[in-house]
Amino acid sequence: MSQSGARAEDPSRSNTERRESDLGTGSVAIARRAARLGGVTVIVAQMTLEPEPLESVAPGVPPALARVVHSCLSKDPSARPRTAKELARRLRDASPDDPWDSEQAAAWWASHPSAA
């Protein structure tokens, strides 16, 4: 450690090793937060409970888009997109025929601050 208390970078460690270490540190932080919230309860809920319907959290979301989002959150791995390309295809298929421009998107986000 340096005098400031921060860890000095080990030049012998590869970028992959540093990323893995950062990921581990993030995992520990998440686990500590879950413990404060009743860790086992949070983990069991995450593993077993279905998420709230997107439509109840963000009314007005097109049903096709809500189905894509829920497929990504599915507890059943076979229901989730297997690749980024498959997710992109599902999102394209769920896109409205009249896509939003940047002004329409900005107006929607401004009128839905809780969604941000």
Side-chain angles (χ1 to χ4, degrees), residues 69-91:
V69 170
H70 282 286
S71 75
C72 292
L73 299 173
S74 177
K75 304 296 180 206
D76 176 8
S78 67
R80 297 190 296 251
R82 291 181 182 256
T83 65
K85 284 184 179 180
E86 183 180 346
L87 176 57
R89 182 192 54 76
R90 289 184 189 188
L91 288 169

Side-chain angles (χ1 to χ4, degrees), residues 7-98:
R7 281 189 302 166
E9 282 296 324
D10 181 352
S12 66
R13 289 176 44 200
S14 69
N15 286 337
T16 301
E17 289 172 319
R18 282 193 288 274
R19 281 194 301 272
E20 288 172 355
S21 176
D22 292 344
L23 180 59
T25 301
S27 298
V28 169
I30 291 168
R32 286 182 181 159
R33 182 170 184 203
R36 284 195 305 269
L37 298 173
V40 172
T41 303
V42 171
I43 292 168
V44 169
Q46 179 67 29
M47 292 172 52
T48 59
L49 299 178
E50 291 299 323
E52 271 186 76
L54 184 59
E55 299 85 346
S56 70
V57 178
V61 170
L65 178 58
R67 284 191 297 276
V68 172
V69 170
H70 282 286
S71 75
C72 292
L73 299 173
S74 177
K75 304 296 180 206
D76 176 8
S78 67
R80 297 190 296 251
R82 291 181 182 256
T83 65
K85 284 184 179 180
E86 183 180 346
L87 176 57
R89 182 192 54 76
R90 289 184 189 188
L91 288 169
R92 255 191 323 276
D93 292 347
S95 294
D97 292 332
D98 183 24

